[in-house]
């Protein structure tokens, strides 16, 4: 076993105390910010789930709209890089950013790559442009809806705080999650990042331990980000309990790493 001076001071493996304090402070601020954002997102999503269809401010509004246009295309990922391969249109955007609910339209399809190449995975999307009294938006729909939709067709919508949450065209219905729900993913990821970095900085702050825990952290981060929002909506105490257990496990791993 190497001496502490060898592991920490001589080779600069441990972070200097001022930098360590800054990392802890940054992690705490990230945790507080994301926790507060998650609380607001959870509350807003619960309010939406309990809202009735009516004409009040905190209600889901029924609107009558019209189909103005349609487009389809595909987005592809090849060899670790993503591209904008399209057919018959451009990638769906809402307010200048890539559409979340509006962009998805089909299942990934692998276009063969021979000779050991990774190939290309493409996802086709189908969008319709719908206008109503509150605005105009491109919305993702199923292929069957896209094939039947034509400019001038009537559409029935339900909106929540100006966002379309339900679309009915030609007897086919598509629902969309509110923005408060879709934003939970990034907040869960930020919270997990803050907890992980903070736990590491508090119990170890050694760069070699950080590198050693980076891969396990990434492995745990994926299911945490995927299932965290659903667990939060189902049971906030269970969500907090799972995050606590994961953080304690990370901290114990960082502490054990100090011994090597």
């Amino acid at each position: 076993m190497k001496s502490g001076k060898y592991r920490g001071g001589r080779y600069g493996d441990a972070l200097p105390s001022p930098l360590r304090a800054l990392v802890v402070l940054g992690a705490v601020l990230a945790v507080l910010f994301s926790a507060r954002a998650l609380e607001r997102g959870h509350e807003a999503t619960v309010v939406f789930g309990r809202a009735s269809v009516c004409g009040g401010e905190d209600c889901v509004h029924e609107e009558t709209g019209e189909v103005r246009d349609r487009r389809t295309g595909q987005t592809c990922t090849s060899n670790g890089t993503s591209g904008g391969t399209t057919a018959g249109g451009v990638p769906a955007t809402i307010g200048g950013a890539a559409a979340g609910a509006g962009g998805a339209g089909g299942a990934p399809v692998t276009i063969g790559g021979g000779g050991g190449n990774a190939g290309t995975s493409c996802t086709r999307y189908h969008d319709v442009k719908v206008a109503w009294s509150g605005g105009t938006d491109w919305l993702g729909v199923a292929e069957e809806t896209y094939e039947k939709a034509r400019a001038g067709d009537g559409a029935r919508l339900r909106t929540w705080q100006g966002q379309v949450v339900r679309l009915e065209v030609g007897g086919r219905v598509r629902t969309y999650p509110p923005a408060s729900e879709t934003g939970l993913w990034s907040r869960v990821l930020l919270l997990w990042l803050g907890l992980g970095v903070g736990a590491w900085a508090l119990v170890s702050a050694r760069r070699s331990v950080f590198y050693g825990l980076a891969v396990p952290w990434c492995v745990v981060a994926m299911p945490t980000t995927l299932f965290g929002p659903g667990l939060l909506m189902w049971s906030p105490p269970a969500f907090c309990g799972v995050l606590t257990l994961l953080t304690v496990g990370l901290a114990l791993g960082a502490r054990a790493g100090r011994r090597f």
Side-chain angles (χ1 to χ4, degrees), residues 128-156:
V128 293
K129 186 178 184 180
V130 181
W132 71 100
S133 60
T136 303
D137 205 350
W138 285 97
L139 300 170
V141 295
E143 182 178 0
E144 295 81 3
T145 305
Y146 170 83
E147 293 295 340
K148 292 185 177 181
R150 295 292 184 272
D153 288 353
R156 299 179 60 185

Side-chain angles (χ1 to χ4, degrees), residues 122-188:
C122 296
T123 302
R124 177 164 292 277
Y125 62 82
H126 306 281
D127 298 336
V128 293
K129 186 178 184 180
V130 181
W132 71 100
S133 60
T136 303
D137 205 350
W138 285 97
L139 300 170
V141 295
E143 182 178 0
E144 295 81 3
T145 305
Y146 170 83
E147 293 295 340
K148 292 185 177 181
R150 295 292 184 272
D153 288 353
R156 299 179 60 185
L157 305 94
R158 289 183 181 179
T159 62
W160 169 256
Q161 298 179 349
Q163 177 194 357
V164 177
V165 293
R166 186 179 187 273
L167 171 66
E168 181 179 349
V169 176
R172 297 182 178 275
V173 176
R174 175 76 177 264
T175 59
Y176 310 91
S180 59
E181 182 176 340
T182 56
L184 293 176
W185 309 98
S186 59
R187 295 161 189 166
V188 168

Side-chain angles (χ1 to χ4, degrees), residues 39 41 62 85 146 174 180 207 242:
E39 181 184 6
E62 285 194 329
T85 307
Y146 170 83
R174 175 76 177 264
S180 59
R207 281 166 282 186
V242 169

Side-chain angles (χ1 to χ4, degrees), residues 3 7 36 61 63 74 83 99 138 172 193 195 197 208 219 231 237 249 258:
S3 66
R7 291 183 289 108
R36 179 55 182 153
H61 295 171
E63 306 275 358
Q74 60 184 16
W138 285 97
R172 297 182 178 275
L193 174 63
L195 288 172
V197 173
S208 60
V219 171
L231 183 59
R258 298 176 62 185

Side-chain angles (χ1 to χ4, degrees), residues 20-178:
R20 183 177 183 177
L22 287 176
V23 171
V24 172
L25 177 61
V28 170
L29 291 177
V31 168
L32 292 177
F33 171 79
S34 54
R36 179 55 182 153
L38 279 173
E39 181 184 6
R40 291 196 299 266
H42 175 265
E43 292 175 351
T45 305
V46 170
V47 171
F48 165 73
R50 296 174 178 174
S52 59
V53 179
C54 58
E57 181 178 353
D58 294 328
C59 296
V60 176
H61 295 171
E62 285 194 329
E63 306 275 358
T64 300
E66 180 182 291
V67 176
R68 295 289 177 84
D69 199 358
R70 64 176 189 163
R71 66 187 179 188
T72 185
Q74 60 184 16
T75 56
C76 298
T77 302
S78 176
N79 298 323
T81 60
S82 62
T85 307
T86 62
V90 295
T93 59
I94 297 178
V109 178
T110 300
I111 301 175
N117 293 328
T120 302
S121 177
C122 296
T123 302
R124 177 164 292 277
Y125 62 82
H126 306 281
D127 298 336
V128 293
K129 186 178 184 180
V130 181
W132 71 100
S133 60
T136 303
D137 205 350
W138 285 97
L139 300 170
V141 295
E143 182 178 0
E144 295 81 3
T145 305
Y146 170 83
E147 293 295 340
K148 292 185 177 181
R150 295 292 184 272
D153 288 353
R156 299 179 60 185
L157 305 94
R158 289 183 181 179
T159 62
W160 169 256
Q161 298 179 349
Q163 177 194 357
V164 177
V165 293
R166 186 179 187 273
L167 171 66
E168 181 179 349
V169 176
R172 297 182 178 275
V173 176
R174 175 76 177 264
T175 59
Y176 310 91

